[in-house]
Amino acid sequence: CYLCSKDRGKVRWRCVLWGLGIQYVFAMLILKTQPGEDLFEFIGDQTTIFLNYASKRWHIRVWAGRNEWSLRGRRPDDHRFGYSIWSFSILIPTVVFFSAFVSILFHLGVLQVIIMGISKLMFYTMQTSVVESLNAAGNIFVGMTEAPLMIRPFLPNMTKSEIHAVM
């Protein structure tokens, strides 16, 4: 950040050091301790189970009644057949399922509470602006294209540095 900064004297080192420190703590927790490894393995297993619900439902809806060797006229010896199977059986159902789940959480107000908690933590520890923190926390759940929509009302008053951090 120092090398790319227009005004190197204004680099906030607290933010940089907290960010690097948090990454280091998580890395040591996951890689060097058995409880940390077990915790993240458990989270990964639960996430896999959760996302497997997407492929089962999609399989029933999309593949029922279709010839197992045909997908839009492609045959198994066609090199594009494998990609089509992958995209229709793994990628699309996962994206649709997770997007629907996040939309339900957003509608119920659960996601706003989680995002606000993470953004407050970032605001107090890293001393980033509220808008930067809200956008970064939103990126975790709703993605880089939807997160800036949460901060849209604040855009006219944002500094160039904040806009750069958002983009």
Side-chain angles (χ1 to χ4, degrees):
C1 70
Y2 182 77
L3 295 175
C4 296
S5 178
K6 185 176 181 181
D7 188 0
R8 293 186 175 118
K10 290 187 178 180
V11 172
R12 293 185 300 192
W13 291 106
R14 178 182 173 134
C15 177
V16 174
L17 295 176
W18 263 98
L20 291 173
I22 290 170
Q23 288 182 15
Y24 181 77
V25 167
F26 271 109
M28 292 299 109
L29 176 71
I30 296 167
L31 299 174
K32 297 292 184 184
T33 67
Q34 192 59 44
E37 184 179 332
D38 293 342
L39 174 68
F40 278 86
E41 185 175 340
F42 174 76
I43 292 170
D45 292 344
Q46 296 307 309
T47 303
T48 302
I49 291 168
F50 177 71
L51 292 177
N52 280 341
Y53 290 124
S55 62
K56 290 180 183 179
R57 290 288 179 200
W58 189 265
H59 181 77
I60 292 168
R61 300 241 185 241
V62 173
W63 299 105
R66 292 190 183 232
N67 181 351
E68 63 179 310
W69 296 110
S70 176
L71 183 67
R72 293 192 181 183
R74 294 187 182 142
R75 295 183 5 204
D77 56 349
D78 184 356
H79 70 281
R80 296 173 298 172
F81 184 78
Y83 176 74
S84 298
I85 294 291
W86 176 80
S87 64
F88 277 100
S89 65
I90 296 172
L91 180 63
I92 292 175
T94 303
V95 169
V96 169
F97 183 72
F98 188 72
S99 177
F101 180 72
V102 167
S103 296
I104 291 169
L105 289 180
F106 191 81
H107 178 73
L108 295 175
V110 175
L111 197 58
Q112 289 92 322
V113 173
I114 294 170
I115 290 173
M116 203 48 121
I118 294 171
S119 63
K120 283 182 181 179
L121 178 69
M122 292 173 63
F123 174 73
Y124 290 119
T125 57
M126 302 175 83
Q127 291 187 340
T128 55
S129 72
V130 175
V131 177
E132 289 171 318
S133 301
L134 180 63
N135 183 68
N139 279 338
I140 299 168
F141 299 99
V142 296
M144 294 177 68
T145 54
E146 293 89 0
L149 296 176
M150 293 189 300
I151 59 162
R152 187 174 178 203
F154 306 105
L155 284 174
N157 300 327
M158 289 174 62
T159 65
K160 287 183 180 181
S161 173
E162 290 173 331
I163 292 174
H164 180 72
V166 168
M167 300 323 248

